[in-house]
Amino acid sequence: MSEQISGAQSLVQSLEAAGVTDVFGIPGGAILPLYDPLMDSARIRHILVRHEQGAGHAAEGYAAASGRVGVCMATSGPGATNLVTPLADANMDSVPMVAITGQVPSGAIGTDAFQEADIRGITMPITKHSFLVTNPDDIPRAIAEAFHIASTGRPGPVLVDVSKDALQAPTTFTWPVQMDLPGYHPVTKPHSKQVREAARLILSSRQPVLYVGGGVIRAGASAPLRRLAELTGIPVVTTLMARGAFPDSHPQHLGMPGMHGTVAAVGALQKADLLITLGARFDDRVTGRLSTFAPNAAIIHADIDPAEIGKNRAADVPIVGDLAETLPELIAAIEAELAAGAVGDYESWWATLNRMRETYPLGYETFDDGSLAPQYVIQRLGLISGPESIFAAGVGQHQMWAAQFIGYEHPNTWLNSGGLGTMGYAVPAAMGAKVARPEATVWAVDGDGCFQMTNQELATCSINDIPIKVALINNGNLGMVRQWQTLFYNERYSNTNLESFRIPDFVKLADAYGAYGLRCESPEQVDAVIEKAMAIDDAPVVIDFVVHKDAMVWPMVAAGTSNDDIMVAREMAPDWSGEDD
């Protein structure tokens, strides 16, 4: 007969059996029974964060940097509801993550007991699945199913809510368990007829574009993507979530499309006769006004999630499958077409794109008063730290500049909150990434608005020897909102000014958290201060880069307008009239 253990012990053993080595969390009443046996685990490192939101974003950063499932824990009620934002964030960006929450005793569920919240109901729309476990015998199966669901198909977050009495009650532990998921069968192998049709369409097109989304990174399909691009010679654009999926240095790469994309990338999509859409979802930030997006393009859409195909744009050739399997099959089909004499001719297309690329390169304004241009700071940061580094960005202008001015050569080196746009993501996500990849240099590129939402996790980093580095782009404002107020609200700056006699003083704040605080206020100091931060490895580092408050993110497609109206500076749109259609 199997040994009797508590439900909490069974949960710890289940996590160990699932391969978990790191967990981010905070204890509280309902989950307290779990924290006692967790002390005895020789395999699992628990990192005590300072806020549950930090635990969730750390689990996201861990997963995004490593490809492994990130894990966080919280107690019932407010502990669980503080995980709602990172769960929604992970759901939008397809991040594999398991959140474990305590719940009030099963007999008290529904009575408005102390620290009770229906977290399963709350999170149902923003997770792949939510479990409520009230029987201790169900714990191993629920954990096994949670990790399977989170990491297969389109990755995403899963919540496992466990009542306190289930954690305390006696049970037995059995692993592996028999999973019971009758309605969950992700399709990974593409339909070969659709793949062959895609190959024929690709080689008969004259102005094709590889429109690459974050699904390529989640699928681990960067290598076959490069093979496909080089085999065909077709231009590539990588969305905000796909930065690093294809090397920025590659001559076929046109940059990032979308609201703040390069003119060449946006123009290529608008003028294309074929979009080969790989793991992308025709997001509004890429398409602009949907009715005017890529008006002359046929659509090949390959995605593991059938719900994405046809959701925003009808597909001429839909392909449901894992890109790690789909791309090699597509390459083989194209090779067969080429061997049979088919030829892709894109010479005049490349001439058009190269003119765009040369005429409208990314650039930025410098300031006569000697103040820092934030784009220069971020560009130097990328060059000095190098392409092996991991960069996690907050949300706003600094996020866009980090996407534009750092060169990404490898997948899983650019982490950001793309779909939900969560301010406060950067510091805890960088912390999680550093735990997953301790050998890597990990930078949080943050704004002074974002930083003040989650900077308490610097304490977690200092205490737990997680030496992240923070490049704080401090313009004293909620910069992206200020930019919109400048452009669309007659420079009426309502509630966007954060600056008031250096409150807080970010250097002193870093010191108070056990980190190194540095400040940089002029272009001449930039390289030296970055190199100083690079040399520090025994604690977190925060560099307060005091930058000009009126720097703008360009290019820009204003919300609700057509990509054809992209602005390269205020009130200035590119002249595409001379380009071939």
Side-chain angles (χ1 to χ4, degrees), residues 256-288:
M256 179 176 75
M259 178 176 272
H260 295 294
T262 66
V263 171
V266 173
L269 293 178
Q270 289 302 95
K271 292 179 171 296
D273 65 2
L274 174 67
L275 300 188
I276 305 144
T277 309
L278 305 173
R281 55 192 180 86
F282 294 90
D283 177 75
D284 63 286
R285 284 314 195 244
V286 169
T287 66

PDB file of all heavy atoms in Angstrom, residues 256-288:
ATOM      1  N   MET A 256      10.852  45.684 -38.344  1.00  0.00           N
ATOM      2  CA  MET A 256       9.573  45.440 -37.670  1.00  0.00           C
ATOM      3  C   MET A 256       8.455  46.199 -38.378  1.00  0.00           C
ATOM      4  O   MET A 256       8.607  47.370 -38.689  1.00  0.00           O
ATOM      5  CB  MET A 256       9.692  45.902 -36.214  1.00  0.00           C
ATOM      6  CG  MET A 256       8.429  45.734 -35.378  1.00  0.00           C
ATOM      7  SD  MET A 256       8.683  46.203 -33.642  1.00  0.00           S
ATOM      8  CE  MET A 256       8.711  48.004 -33.776  1.00  0.00           C
ATOM      9  N   PRO A 257       7.322  45.547 -38.641  1.00  0.00           N
ATOM     10  CA  PRO A 257       6.176  46.253 -39.196  1.00  0.00           C
ATOM     11  C   PRO A 257       5.329  46.859 -38.085  1.00  0.00           C
ATOM     12  O   PRO A 257       5.602  46.656 -36.899  1.00  0.00           O
ATOM     13  CB  PRO A 257       5.413  45.139 -39.909  1.00  0.00           C
ATOM     14  CG  PRO A 257       5.657  43.940 -39.029  1.00  0.00           C
ATOM     15  CD  PRO A 257       7.060  44.101 -38.481  1.00  0.00           C
ATOM     16  N   GLY A 258       4.308  47.611 -38.453  1.00  0.00           N
ATOM     17  CA  GLY A 258       3.330  48.034 -37.472  1.00  0.00           C
ATOM     18  C   GLY A 258       3.364  49.510 -37.143  1.00  0.00           C
ATOM     19  O   GLY A 258       3.983  50.324 -37.834  1.00  0.00           O
ATOM     20  N   MET A 259       2.693  49.850 -36.055  1.00  0.00           N
ATOM     21  CA  MET A 259       2.486  51.235 -35.648  1.00  0.00           C
ATOM     22  C   MET A 259       3.790  52.015 -35.567  1.00  0.00           C
ATOM     23  O   MET A 259       3.836  53.193 -35.918  1.00  0.00           O
ATOM     24  CB  MET A 259       1.761  51.268 -34.302  1.00  0.00           C
ATOM     25  CG  MET A 259       1.543  52.666 -33.764  1.00  0.00           C
ATOM     26  SD  MET A 259       0.589  52.690 -32.229  1.00  0.00           S
ATOM     27  CE  MET A 259      -1.079  52.747 -32.864  1.00  0.00           C
ATOM     28  N   HIS A 260       4.847  51.385 -35.080  1.00  0.00           N
ATOM     29  CA  HIS A 260       6.154  52.038 -34.997  1.00  0.00           C
ATOM     30  C   HIS A 260       7.211  51.226 -35.749  1.00  0.00           C
ATOM     31  O   HIS A 260       8.369  51.157 -35.344  1.00  0.00           O
ATOM     32  CB  HIS A 260       6.546  52.254 -33.537  1.00  0.00           C
ATOM     33  CG  HIS A 260       5.632  53.201 -32.821  1.00  0.00           C
ATOM     34  ND1 HIS A 260       5.553  54.534 -33.147  1.00  0.00           N
ATOM     35  CD2 HIS A 260       4.741  52.997 -31.825  1.00  0.00           C
ATOM     36  CE1 HIS A 260       4.646  55.118 -32.351  1.00  0.00           C
ATOM     37  NE2 HIS A 260       4.145  54.207 -31.558  1.00  0.00           N
ATOM     38  N   GLY A 261       6.784  50.612 -36.847  1.00  0.00           N
ATOM     39  CA  GLY A 261       7.691  49.811 -37.640  1.00  0.00           C
ATOM     40  C   GLY A 261       8.499  50.644 -38.620  1.00  0.00           C
ATOM     41  O   GLY A 261       8.302  51.850 -38.770  1.00  0.00           O
ATOM     42  N   THR A 262       9.418  49.995 -39.308  1.00  0.00           N
ATOM     43  CA  THR A 262      10.202  50.687 -40.330  1.00  0.00           C
ATOM     44  C   THR A 262       9.324  50.944 -41.556  1.00  0.00           C
ATOM     45  O   THR A 262       8.367  50.202 -41.825  1.00  0.00           O
ATOM     46  CB  THR A 262      11.423  49.854 -40.765  1.00  0.00           C
ATOM     47  OG1 THR A 262      10.957  48.662 -41.428  1.00  0.00           O
ATOM     48  CG2 THR A 262      12.296  49.468 -39.574  1.00  0.00           C
ATOM     49  N   VAL A 263       9.669  51.980 -42.285  1.00  0.00           N
ATOM     50  CA  VAL A 263       8.921  52.296 -43.508  1.00  0.00           C
ATOM     51  C   VAL A 263       9.009  51.126 -44.497  1.00  0.00           C
ATOM     52  O   VAL A 263       8.015  50.764 -45.143  1.00  0.00           O
ATOM     53  CB  VAL A 263       9.443  53.597 -44.139  1.00  0.00           C
ATOM     54  CG1 VAL A 263       8.833  53.822 -45.527  1.00  0.00           C
ATOM     55  CG2 VAL A 263       9.137  54.785 -43.230  1.00  0.00           C
ATOM     56  N   ALA A 264      10.192  50.516 -44.586  1.00  0.00           N
ATOM     57  CA  ALA A 264      10.353  49.401 -45.530  1.00  0.00           C
ATOM     58  C   ALA A 264       9.475  48.219 -45.153  1.00  0.00           C
ATOM     59  O   ALA A 264       8.862  47.580 -46.026  1.00  0.00           O
ATOM     60  CB  ALA A 264      11.817  48.980 -45.592  1.00  0.00           C
ATOM     61  N   ALA A 265       9.381  47.900 -43.863  1.00  0.00           N
ATOM     62  CA  ALA A 265       8.567  46.764 -43.431  1.00  0.00           C
ATOM     63  C   ALA A 265       7.084  47.052 -43.646  1.00  0.00           C
ATOM     64  O   ALA A 265       6.334  46.206 -44.159  1.00  0.00           O
ATOM     65  CB  ALA A 265       8.842  46.444 -41.963  1.00  0.00           C
ATOM     66  N   VAL A 266       6.654  48.243 -43.248  1.00  0.00           N
ATOM     67  CA  VAL A 266       5.242  48.616 -43.425  1.00  0.00           C
ATOM     68  C   VAL A 266       4.905  48.691 -44.911  1.00  0.00           C
ATOM     69  O   VAL A 266       3.871  48.183 -45.363  1.00  0.00           O
ATOM     70  CB  VAL A 266       4.954  49.952 -42.717  1.00  0.00           C
ATOM     71  CG1 VAL A 266       3.539  50.437 -43.030  1.00  0.00           C
ATOM     72  CG2 VAL A 266       5.139  49.815 -41.208  1.00  0.00           C
ATOM     73  N   GLY A 267       5.792  49.318 -45.687  1.00  0.00           N
ATOM     74  CA  GLY A 267       5.551  49.450 -47.118  1.00  0.00           C
ATOM     75  C   GLY A 267       5.523  48.116 -47.830  1.00  0.00           C
ATOM     76  O   GLY A 267       4.720  47.906 -48.753  1.00  0.00           O
ATOM     77  N   ALA A 268       6.389  47.195 -47.411  1.00  0.00           N
ATOM     78  CA  ALA A 268       6.413  45.867 -48.036  1.00  0.00           C
ATOM     79  C   ALA A 268       5.072  45.160 -47.857  1.00  0.00           C
ATOM     80  O   ALA A 268       4.539  44.559 -48.804  1.00  0.00           O
ATOM     81  CB  ALA A 268       7.544  45.035 -47.435  1.00  0.00           C
ATOM     82  N   LEU A 269       4.522  45.232 -46.649  1.00  0.00           N
ATOM     83  CA  LEU A 269       3.229  44.586 -46.418  1.00  0.00           C
ATOM     84  C   LEU A 269       2.131  45.253 -47.250  1.00  0.00           C
ATOM     85  O   LEU A 269       1.272  44.572 -47.826  1.00  0.00           O
ATOM     86  CB  LEU A 269       2.866  44.648 -44.930  1.00  0.00           C
ATOM     87  CG  LEU A 269       3.752  43.827 -43.982  1.00  0.00           C
ATOM     88  CD1 LEU A 269       3.305  44.030 -42.532  1.00  0.00           C
ATOM     89  CD2 LEU A 269       3.721  42.336 -44.316  1.00  0.00           C
ATOM     90  N   GLN A 270       2.165  46.577 -47.337  1.00  0.00           N
ATOM     91  CA  GLN A 270       1.120  47.285 -48.073  1.00  0.00           C
ATOM     92  C   GLN A 270       1.165  46.987 -49.566  1.00  0.00           C
ATOM     93  O   GLN A 270       0.124  46.952 -50.231  1.00  0.00           O
ATOM     94  CB  GLN A 270       1.237  48.794 -47.842  1.00  0.00           C
ATOM     95  CG  GLN A 270       0.835  49.244 -46.445  1.00  0.00           C
ATOM     96  CD  GLN A 270      -0.583  48.865 -46.082  1.00  0.00           C
ATOM     97  OE1 GLN A 270      -0.820  47.826 -45.456  1.00  0.00           O
ATOM     98  NE2 GLN A 270      -1.535  49.675 -46.508  1.00  0.00           N
ATOM     99  N   LYS A 271       2.355  46.780 -50.111  1.00  0.00           N
ATOM    100  CA  LYS A 271       2.504  46.609 -51.552  1.00  0.00           C
ATOM    101  C   LYS A 271       2.623  45.148 -51.989  1.00  0.00           C
ATOM    102  O   LYS A 271       2.724  44.851 -53.173  1.00  0.00           O
ATOM    103  CB  LYS A 271       3.738  47.381 -52.032  1.00  0.00           C
ATOM    104  CG  LYS A 271       3.552  48.900 -51.923  1.00  0.00           C
ATOM    105  CD  LYS A 271       4.783  49.649 -52.378  1.00  0.00           C
ATOM    106  CE  LYS A 271       4.493  51.148 -52.468  1.00  0.00           C
ATOM    107  NZ  LYS A 271       3.489  51.501 -53.479  1.00  0.00           N
ATOM    108  N   ALA A 272       2.609  44.231 -51.004  1.00  0.00           N
ATOM    109  CA  ALA A 272       2.812  42.819 -51.319  1.00  0.00           C
ATOM    110  C   ALA A 272       1.656  42.246 -52.140  1.00  0.00           C
ATOM    111  O   ALA A 272       0.514  42.694 -52.032  1.00  0.00           O
ATOM    112  CB  ALA A 272       2.956  42.027 -50.020  1.00  0.00           C
ATOM    113  N   ASP A 273       1.978  41.236 -52.958  1.00  0.00           N
ATOM    114  CA  ASP A 273       0.915  40.466 -53.608  1.00  0.00           C
ATOM    115  C   ASP A 273       0.674  39.140 -52.887  1.00  0.00           C
ATOM    116  O   ASP A 273      -0.265  38.419 -53.206  1.00  0.00           O
ATOM    117  CB  ASP A 273       1.196  40.248 -55.101  1.00  0.00           C
ATOM    118  CG  ASP A 273       2.429  39.383 -55.369  1.00  0.00           C
ATOM    119  OD1 ASP A 273       3.068  38.900 -54.409  1.00  0.00           O
ATOM    120  OD2 ASP A 273       2.774  39.209 -56.561  1.00  0.00           O
ATOM    121  N   LEU A 274       1.544  38.839 -51.889  1.00  0.00           N
ATOM    122  CA  LEU A 274       1.382  37.606 -51.108  1.00  0.00           C
ATOM    123  C   LEU A 274       2.008  37.797 -49.730  1.00  0.00           C
ATOM    124  O   LEU A 274       3.165  38.213 -49.623  1.00  0.00           O
ATOM    125  CB  LEU A 274       2.056  36.413 -51.805  1.00  0.00           C
ATOM    126  CG  LEU A 274       2.063  35.094 -51.010  1.00  0.00           C
ATOM    127  CD1 LEU A 274       0.638  34.555 -50.851  1.00  0.00           C
ATOM    128  CD2 LEU A 274       2.956  34.055 -51.692  1.00  0.00           C
ATOM    129  N   LEU A 275       1.240  37.509 -48.690  1.00  0.00           N
ATOM    130  CA  LEU A 275       1.782  37.472 -47.335  1.00  0.00           C
ATOM    131  C   LEU A 275       1.863  36.014 -46.879  1.00  0.00           C
ATOM    132  O   LEU A 275       0.845  35.308 -46.850  1.00  0.00           O
ATOM    133  CB  LEU A 275       0.899  38.255 -46.350  1.00  0.00           C
ATOM    134  CG  LEU A 275       0.678  39.742 -46.614  1.00  0.00           C
ATOM    135  CD1 LEU A 275      -0.053  40.380 -45.433  1.00  0.00           C
ATOM    136  CD2 LEU A 275       1.999  40.459 -46.866  1.00  0.00           C
ATOM    137  N   ILE A 276       3.085  35.602 -46.541  1.00  0.00           N
ATOM    138  CA  ILE A 276       3.294  34.264 -45.987  1.00  0.00           C
ATOM    139  C   ILE A 276       3.358  34.465 -44.477  1.00  0.00           C
ATOM    140  O   ILE A 276       4.385  34.816 -43.909  1.00  0.00           O
ATOM    141  CB  ILE A 276       4.592  33.635 -46.536  1.00  0.00           C
ATOM    142  CG1 ILE A 276       4.574  33.637 -48.060  1.00  0.00           C
ATOM    143  CG2 ILE A 276       4.787  32.227 -45.991  1.00  0.00           C
ATOM    144  CD1 ILE A 276       5.930  33.883 -48.683  1.00  0.00           C
ATOM    145  N   THR A 277       2.207  34.291 -43.837  1.00  0.00           N
ATOM    146  CA  THR A 277       2.022  34.674 -42.439  1.00  0.00           C
ATOM    147  C   THR A 277       2.309  33.485 -41.545  1.00  0.00           C
ATOM    148  O   THR A 277       1.615  32.463 -41.616  1.00  0.00           O
ATOM    149  CB  THR A 277       0.583  35.187 -42.228  1.00  0.00           C
ATOM    150  OG1 THR A 277       0.301  36.172 -43.221  1.00  0.00           O
ATOM    151  CG2 THR A 277       0.407  35.754 -40.848  1.00  0.00           C
ATOM    152  N   LEU A 278       3.329  33.609 -40.704  1.00  0.00           N
ATOM    153  CA  LEU A 278       3.817  32.486 -39.900  1.00  0.00           C
ATOM    154  C   LEU A 278       3.717  32.835 -38.416  1.00  0.00           C
ATOM    155  O   LEU A 278       4.456  33.668 -37.905  1.00  0.00           O
ATOM    156  CB  LEU A 278       5.275  32.178 -40.246  1.00  0.00           C
ATOM    157  CG  LEU A 278       5.573  31.917 -41.723  1.00  0.00           C
ATOM    158  CD1 LEU A 278       7.078  31.789 -41.953  1.00  0.00           C
ATOM    159  CD2 LEU A 278       4.848  30.647 -42.203  1.00  0.00           C
ATOM    160  N   GLY A 279       2.760  32.234 -37.728  1.00  0.00           N
ATOM    161  CA  GLY A 279       2.637  32.452 -36.288  1.00  0.00           C
ATOM    162  C   GLY A 279       2.346  33.887 -35.915  1.00  0.00           C
ATOM    163  O   GLY A 279       2.762  34.358 -34.858  1.00  0.00           O
ATOM    164  N   ALA A 280       1.638  34.602 -36.763  1.00  0.00           N
ATOM    165  CA  ALA A 280       1.229  35.985 -36.493  1.00  0.00           C
ATOM    166  C   ALA A 280      -0.296  36.042 -36.568  1.00  0.00           C
ATOM    167  O   ALA A 280      -0.927  35.165 -37.157  1.00  0.00           O
ATOM    168  CB  ALA A 280       1.852  36.947 -37.495  1.00  0.00           C
ATOM    169  N   ARG A 281      -0.880  37.090 -35.982  1.00  0.00           N
ATOM    170  CA  ARG A 281      -2.337  37.088 -35.841  1.00  0.00           C
ATOM    171  C   ARG A 281      -3.025  38.323 -36.409  1.00  0.00           C
ATOM    172  O   ARG A 281      -4.141  38.633 -36.011  1.00  0.00           O
ATOM    173  CB  ARG A 281      -2.722  36.873 -34.376  1.00  0.00           C
ATOM    174  CG  ARG A 281      -2.106  37.842 -33.383  1.00  0.00           C
ATOM    175  CD  ARG A 281      -2.323  37.372 -31.941  1.00  0.00           C
ATOM    176  NE  ARG A 281      -1.738  38.270 -30.974  1.00  0.00           N
ATOM    177  CZ  ARG A 281      -2.340  39.346 -30.473  1.00  0.00           C
ATOM    178  NH1 ARG A 281      -3.552  39.649 -30.863  1.00  0.00           N
ATOM    179  NH2 ARG A 281      -1.731  40.108 -29.590  1.00  0.00           N
ATOM    180  N   PHE A 282      -2.358  39.045 -37.309  1.00  0.00           N
ATOM    181  CA  PHE A 282      -2.960  40.229 -37.920  1.00  0.00           C
ATOM    182  C   PHE A 282      -3.472  41.182 -36.839  1.00  0.00           C
ATOM    183  O   PHE A 282      -4.603  41.662 -36.874  1.00  0.00           O
ATOM    184  CB  PHE A 282      -4.078  39.837 -38.900  1.00  0.00           C
ATOM    185  CG  PHE A 282      -3.585  39.087 -40.104  1.00  0.00           C
ATOM    186  CD1 PHE A 282      -3.500  37.702 -40.104  1.00  0.00           C
ATOM    187  CD2 PHE A 282      -3.177  39.772 -41.236  1.00  0.00           C
ATOM    188  CE1 PHE A 282      -3.020  37.007 -41.205  1.00  0.00           C
ATOM    189  CE2 PHE A 282      -2.703  39.090 -42.349  1.00  0.00           C
ATOM    190  CZ  PHE A 282      -2.612  37.699 -42.322  1.00  0.00           C
ATOM    191  N   ASP A 283      -2.611  41.439 -35.876  1.00  0.00           N
ATOM    192  CA  ASP A 283      -2.933  42.323 -34.767  1.00  0.00           C
ATOM    193  C   ASP A 283      -3.169  43.748 -35.266  1.00  0.00           C
ATOM    194  O   ASP A 283      -2.558  44.180 -36.250  1.00  0.00           O
ATOM    195  CB  ASP A 283      -1.762  42.295 -33.776  1.00  0.00           C
ATOM    196  CG  ASP A 283      -1.961  43.239 -32.612  1.00  0.00           C
ATOM    197  OD1 ASP A 283      -2.759  42.900 -31.735  1.00  0.00           O
ATOM    198  OD2 ASP A 283      -1.317  44.300 -32.585  1.00  0.00           O
ATOM    199  N   ASP A 284      -4.030  44.483 -34.579  1.00  0.00           N
ATOM    200  CA  ASP A 284      -4.358  45.840 -35.042  1.00  0.00           C
ATOM    201  C   ASP A 284      -3.147  46.757 -35.048  1.00  0.00           C
ATOM    202  O   ASP A 284      -3.085  47.709 -35.817  1.00  0.00           O
ATOM    203  CB  ASP A 284      -5.462  46.440 -34.164  1.00  0.00           C
ATOM    204  CG  ASP A 284      -5.041  46.610 -32.716  1.00  0.00           C
ATOM    205  OD1 ASP A 284      -4.954  45.597 -31.990  1.00  0.00           O
ATOM    206  OD2 ASP A 284      -4.806  47.741 -32.286  1.00  0.00           O
ATOM    207  N   ARG A 285      -2.144  46.486 -34.183  1.00  0.00           N
ATOM    208  CA  ARG A 285      -0.953  47.326 -34.163  1.00  0.00           C
ATOM    209  C   ARG A 285      -0.064  47.071 -35.388  1.00  0.00           C
ATOM    210  O   ARG A 285       0.801  47.881 -35.702  1.00  0.00           O
ATOM    211  CB  ARG A 285      -0.146  47.093 -32.883  1.00  0.00           C
ATOM    212  CG  ARG A 285      -0.725  47.739 -31.616  1.00  0.00           C
ATOM    213  CD  ARG A 285      -1.138  49.162 -31.891  1.00  0.00           C
ATOM    214  NE  ARG A 285      -1.365  49.950 -30.690  1.00  0.00           N
ATOM    215  CZ  ARG A 285      -2.536  50.474 -30.324  1.00  0.00           C
ATOM    216  NH1 ARG A 285      -3.609  50.235 -31.047  1.00  0.00           N
ATOM    217  NH2 ARG A 285      -2.645  51.225 -29.246  1.00  0.00           N
ATOM    218  N   VAL A 286      -0.265  45.958 -36.074  1.00  0.00           N
ATOM    219  CA  VAL A 286       0.454  45.678 -37.324  1.00  0.00           C
ATOM    220  C   VAL A 286      -0.359  46.140 -38.526  1.00  0.00           C
ATOM    221  O   VAL A 286       0.186  46.724 -39.467  1.00  0.00           O
ATOM    222  CB  VAL A 286       0.778  44.168 -37.443  1.00  0.00           C
ATOM    223  CG1 VAL A 286       1.274  43.824 -38.849  1.00  0.00           C
ATOM    224  CG2 VAL A 286       1.830  43.768 -36.412  1.00  0.00           C
ATOM    225  N   THR A 287      -1.658  45.906 -38.495  1.00  0.00           N
ATOM    226  CA  THR A 287      -2.460  46.137 -39.705  1.00  0.00           C
ATOM    227  C   THR A 287      -2.881  47.587 -39.880  1.00  0.00           C
ATOM    228  O   THR A 287      -3.188  48.013 -40.993  1.00  0.00           O
ATOM    229  CB  THR A 287      -3.735  45.272 -39.689  1.00  0.00           C
ATOM    230  OG1 THR A 287      -4.590  45.696 -38.619  1.00  0.00           O
ATOM    231  CG2 THR A 287      -3.404  43.793 -39.554  1.00  0.00           C
ATOM    232  N   GLY A 288      -2.891  48.388 -38.777  1.00  0.00           N
ATOM    233  CA  GLY A 288      -3.558  49.675 -38.900  1.00  0.00           C
ATOM    234  C   GLY A 288      -5.029  49.429 -39.223  1.00  0.00           C
ATOM    235  O   GLY A 288      -5.607  48.408 -38.834  1.00  0.00           O
TER     236      GLY A 288
END
